[in-house]
Amino acid sequence: QNECSNNQENLSSLLTNLSKCKSLQQVELSSDICKKIPKIFCDFVTNFPCVSTIKSIKFLSCQYILIDAENTLNLLETLQEASQLRELELPGAAFDDLCFKQLLRLKNILSLNINQSKLSTIQVVQLLTGLPKLRCLECTCGRQSKVVQALS
């Protein structure tokens, strides 16, 4: 119990210091971290720092930190200011129509992973046509690729 508390304090301190970083370019949160202390990361993600310099965001288990569409929307709205963002991984994030519309506004995205996010085939087609620089899209639900369905 004490070790777990120390780990949470260390991670909280790390995130506080990370938010002070002026030129952060890449953030990757592992699945284990997202599962073990989701509340700390949920707060960090929904108040994401360093949007002016960030190029890559990989949150590998969003079902633990972006558990409702409101949190996802907060992050995506913040990322509208991230003009250098090229890679975004939010597998398992909760999405609704407002989130989807915000996602379509990220015109500079080259690579997008939204696996296990419940998007319709029509929405996937809209991503493929609405994000002009997109080169890689990962969007599966269960074992089915929504991208393959959209292209069929």
Side-chain angles (χ1 to χ4, degrees):
Q1 181 71 19
N2 194 26
E3 184 178 325
C4 183
S5 177
N6 286 340
N7 286 340
Q8 287 184 354
E9 288 172 18
N10 289 340
L11 285 169
S12 182
S13 174
L14 171 72
L15 292 177
T16 300
N17 290 327
L18 190 61
S19 19
K20 295 175 186 173
C21 181
K22 301 277 189 242
S23 58
L24 184 67
Q25 293 186 6
Q26 181 174 347
V27 174
E28 183 171 337
L29 299 179
S30 74
S31 297
D32 286 341
I33 294 295
C34 293
K35 282 184 223 179
K36 289 180 181 170
I37 48 174
K39 176 67 177 126
I40 293 171
F41 286 111
C42 185
D43 293 342
F44 173 74
V45 166
T46 54
N47 298 301
F48 192 78
C50 310
V51 292
S52 63
T53 59
I54 197 72
K55 294 180 180 181
S56 176
I57 297 174
K58 297 178 183 181
F59 300 147
L60 302 181
S61 287
C62 285
Q63 67 268 29
Y64 301 106
I65 55 176
L66 295 174
I67 57 174
D68 61 45
E70 184 178 342
N71 287 344
T72 304
L73 182 61
N74 288 340
L75 173 64
L76 293 172
E77 286 174 342
T78 301
L79 294 180
Q80 296 307 311
E81 305 298 319
S83 61
Q84 296 185 50
L85 184 63
R86 302 295 182 262
E87 182 177 29
L88 182 61
E89 294 191 15
L90 302 175
F95 274 88
D96 63 9
D97 287 340
L98 292 174
C99 296
F100 176 71
K101 288 175 184 174
Q102 286 298 321
L103 191 59
L104 278 173
R105 295 180 67 200
L106 298 174
K107 299 293 185 188
N108 291 321
I109 292 290
L110 298 173
S111 178
L112 177 62
N113 177 339
I114 48 174
N115 284 330
Q116 306 309 320
S117 298
K118 293 180 172 86
L119 295 178
S120 70
T121 303
I122 291 172
Q123 288 174 318
V124 173
V125 170
Q126 289 176 315
L127 286 174
L128 290 169
T129 58
L131 297 175
K133 297 182 180 181
L134 190 65
R135 298 292 172 258
C136 177
L137 175 61
E138 292 182 49
C139 183
T140 60
C141 191
R143 293 183 182 193
Q144 291 190 325
S145 169
K146 292 286 190 174
V147 178
V148 171
Q149 288 177 357
L151 295 174
S152 299

